[in-house]
Structures are given as C-alpha cells and as structure tokens.
Amino acid sequence: MDNGISLYPGLENTFEENLRLLNVAAENKVKRIFTSFHVPETNFNEFQNQFNQLMKAAAQNEMEVISDVSPAALALLGAKKLNLSLFRIRGIRRLRLDYGYDSDVVSELSRNTCGIGLQLNASAVTADFLSELEQKGADFSRMDALHNFYPRPGTGLSEGFFKEQTKLFQKKGIKVGAFVPSFAGPRLPLRKGLPTMEEHRRLSLELAARHLCALGADSVFIGDGRPSDQEIKTVAFLQKDTVILKVKAEVQNTQIKNLLQGVFTARLDEARDAVRAQEGRDVFRDVSVEAENTSGRSFGTVTLDNNNYLRYKGEVQLIKNPQPADEKVNVVGKIIPEELFMLKYITPGKKFSLEFI
C-alpha cells in the first residue's frame, strides 16, 4: 500500500521535529508525504524556512510529496498563477486539486509533461465530474484520489458515503486514499484528530486504519502532524484488501496457533452461521488437531474442526450466529469485543487474518 504521513511546515513542529518524523517514515518504507497550505495558523516565515529543506530530505529518501493547490498555496510558494514546473522544482510530485478547477483544466493538467501527478478530492468530486474528465480525454493513469480530513467533531464522513465515493473512483481505475487521526499528537487548533470518517475519532489509529483497509481503501495517511513512531509503523505495515482481527487466544498448541495466523479467504458460498475459510483443511491436512475446549460458540468465536470431524478436520470458522458445543469443534479464540463490528466486512472472497493477543 502507498501509505503516508502528513507534515505541516510552519505550524507547531520545529524543522528538527518534522525532519525526524520524515526519517522515521522513510526507515519504515513509508513513501508519501501529504502537506497542506490551507492551515490558517501557519507561520509564513517559518514555512519558508522549513519547506525547501524538508523537500530535499524527501527527495533523498525517494518520497512523493503531495500538496494541495489553491490561491493560498500559490501565495506561499511565491506564485501568482498555477505553474506546474514551479511545483516540480520545489520537490512536489503530486498536486491535490481542491475546489475551483473545472474539468477542462484538470483534463489538461493530467496530460502535463512535467512529471507531476494529480490527486482528486475523493470526498467532493461527483460522478458527473468524472464523466466529464473521461469525455475530455483526461489521463486517469496519472491520477489518484484522496478523501478530505475533518478537524471539527461531527463533520466527518459516514461509512456509507465513504464507500459510495470510494467505489465511484475505483470503478474508473483510480486508487483512493483516506486519513486516520493520530492520538499521540492531534493537530491544532481543535486537537480533535484529523480523520476522514467521523467514527474514527473514537477508535485507535490502528483499528481505524484496519477499518479503512477492510472498506477497500488503497492507501492510508495519518492526518495529524505529530504521530508517534508506533503509529507510523502501524500505517507502514497495513495489509491491503485484508480484514485483520485481534483475537483473544484460547489455544495452547504453538504450531496450531501459528498456522491460524496466516491469511485466509472467505468462501464464495457464504454460510448463514459462519465465515468459512477456504484454505483451512489444506493448511491443517498434515497436522493432528486433538479435541480440546469444545465449548459453545457465541458470535465472534473462532473455531477449528478437530480430528473427530474426519474429512472436515482443519475447517476454520468465524461464528456469525451462536451454535451449541460440539465435541468435533474446538474453540480456539474469540474476537475482542471492540472489533466484533469488523466481522461484517469479511464478505465472500475477502481475505482475512487473525492476530492472537
């Protein structure tokens, strides 16, 4: 995944603090940086002092810098009109086009020869606008999209709208990213986090990021500018198109536990009562699964069919509807309560993985 962090020169971080965050991201193979010129609290002089040095460090680490474009952005860069070569010279490799640019301008910009990629606003661009771009010969291969973040509580996107907008772009072959908030260093002035989705304001960065992956996001950015090293590492190691669930372990056998933490695929023939892993029986084909902890199975229970189930031995299930105890079925873990909602995203054909705690 092409995930990223956000840096805001001239805001509250010193140059040294921003440079350290950039280096931590680079060390963890995070290759993208989002920066915004729209923050009213930005100190213009400090911005000018930091920006070029940070862009140089980004280039040395082969990181792509994404900047929004607006009259305010042009002013901070000392320009009166949109000149792509100016952005290229300053080290910016992708421009996020916000309000005020019509389909004619965007189409033309997408065919630029400066090596600048474009980024559309995934939260605001409509189906009609995308159709106009298509009709005018816009080069979608030079574009991706990124949702907004929302500093004020109560203004973030709903899950339904997020999914609808994301699919709108992905149907055109355009990858879509979104923001999660940092709880280590929420950005001023409100310090309430910078999430794309409103419900992520109450979740940990890790769970919010995994939720975005489950919803099909192609990239995840930390919106706030003072994340912890651990939050950066979390974003660095996300798995695309995989629902990762934390599970309280109820199995002692180390070999079985390790095998259960692989990547599985939900069967296409969806069962009413459980998510069935299509690889389970093959994974455990040559492993003896002795009967143990054959207790009742509540919603969110993870089970493994034992040797008594004969040719079904090794079947891995995530329980959706409660089922009684069965001497042929071992209870190997339970999805932790705060992550039970993630079970609904494991639809037929979706990959999932278990992380025992």
Side-chain angles (χ1 to χ4, degrees):
M1 298 179 70
D2 297 325
N3 301 325
I5 63 169
S6 299
L7 295 179
Y8 304 100
L11 198 53
E12 51 190 331
N13 287 7
T14 65
F15 168 72
E16 290 74 20
E17 289 171 329
N18 276 330
L19 182 61
R20 195 192 74 80
L21 288 170
L22 185 154
N23 287 330
V24 170
E27 289 166 5
N28 286 282
K29 311 301 181 186
V30 173
K31 289 296 186 181
R32 307 181 91 188
I33 298 171
F34 173 80
T35 190
S36 174
F37 301 103
H38 287 320
V39 185
E41 293 80 10
T42 299
N43 180 303
F44 179 83
N45 290 331
E46 188 58 31
F47 172 91
Q48 297 286 9
N49 291 335
Q50 289 192 32
F51 188 78
N52 288 341
Q53 295 180 76
L54 289 172
M55 294 307 97
K56 183 178 179 180
Q60 290 172 342
N61 286 288
E62 299 181 342
M63 303 175 82
E64 179 187 57
V65 178
I66 302 163
S67 166
D68 49 18
V69 184
S70 70
L74 296 177
L76 279 172
L77 289 172
K80 294 183 179 180
K81 63 179 181 178
L82 184 57
N83 183 339
L84 294 188
S85 61
L86 172 64
F87 286 92
R88 177 75 185 185
I89 291 170
R90 299 295 290 268
I92 296 169
R93 296 293 179 264
R94 189 171 294 272
L95 298 180
R96 185 171 189 264
L97 303 174
D98 221 328
Y99 304 102
Y101 295 96
D102 62 28
S103 57
D104 289 317
V105 173
V106 176
S107 297
E108 182 179 352
L109 290 175
S110 76
R111 299 187 292 270
N112 75 82
T113 58
C114 299
I116 297 285
L118 301 184
Q119 189 170 81
L120 302 177
N121 184 334
S123 301
V125 167
T126 65
D128 288 344
F129 190 83
L130 285 179
S131 295
E132 287 179 22
L133 290 179
E134 202 165 28
Q135 292 166 8
K136 293 172 182 178
D139 186 352
F140 285 173
S141 70
R142 305 275 296 278
M143 298 181 187
D144 71 354
L146 182 63
H147 281 280
N148 286 335
F149 56 59
Y150 296 89
R152 186 190 184 284
T155 62
L157 303 185
S158 69
E159 180 176 316
F161 184 76
F162 174 86
K163 289 166 65 176
E164 181 181 306
Q165 285 293 110
T166 298
K167 288 179 181 178
L168 178 66
F169 287 88
Q170 290 175 336
K171 286 179 180 177
K172 302 288 187 183
I174 300 172
K175 292 183 177 181
V176 181
F179 290 96
V180 291
S182 164
F183 288 83
R187 202 195 73 183
L188 56 74
L190 299 181
R191 301 196 189 281
K192 296 296 184 180
L194 300 179
T196 289
M197 290 177 58
E198 184 60 33
E199 67 180 282
H200 290 169
R201 232 180 281 276
R202 64 177 180 80
L203 302 181
S204 68
L205 177 144
E206 181 188 13
L207 183 52
R210 287 190 280 120
H211 187 205
L212 287 180
C213 291
L215 291 171
D218 297 293
S219 59
V220 176
F221 286 75
I222 300 175
D224 295 280
R226 301 172 67 91
S228 67
D229 290 5
Q230 184 55 53
E231 288 177 327
I232 293 174
K233 290 176 182 177
T234 294
V235 167
F237 294 103
L238 291 172
Q239 297 182 48
K240 187 177 185 298
D241 292 328
T242 302
V243 180
I244 301 175
L245 299 168
K246 288 193 175 182
V247 176
K248 183 179 180 182
E250 295 189 18
V251 58
Q252 303 301 319
N253 186 297
T254 301
Q255 180 188 22
I256 289 177
K257 184 185 291 187
N258 288 340
L259 290 172
L260 283 168
Q261 293 185 100
V263 177
F264 296 97
T265 309
R267 285 178 56 142
L268 295 176
D269 51 340
E270 184 178 17
R272 182 194 65 178
D273 296 329
V275 172
R276 303 176 66 194
Q278 71 180 33
E279 301 89 351
R281 283 183 257 172
D282 285 335
V283 169
F284 289 94
R285 185 182 302 279
D286 300 318
V287 179
S288 178
V289 182
E290 301 298 327
E292 61 176 338
N293 195 23
T294 57
S295 57
R297 295 159 283 169
S298 58
F299 174 67
T301 297
V302 181
T303 68
L304 177 66
D305 288 2
N306 61 48
N307 296 334
N308 294 328
Y309 233 135
L310 304 178
R311 67 185 179 89
Y312 283 93
K313 186 258 290 185
E315 166 114 350
V316 176
Q317 294 188 359
L318 310 179
I319 302 303
K320 296 190 292 186
N321 288 313
Q323 297 174 53
D326 186 332
E327 64 180 8
K328 302 182 291 299
V329 181
N330 294 353
V331 170
V332 294
K334 293 183 179 178
I335 300 168
I336 63 175
E338 56 267 37
E339 300 199 7
L340 285 171
F341 79 98
M342 294 278 281
L343 191 54
K344 66 184 177 183
Y345 304 114
I346 309 179
T347 51
K350 191 77 170 182
K351 294 190 179 300
F352 66 92
S353 183
L354 309 175
E355 181 181 320
F356 285 116
I357 59 173

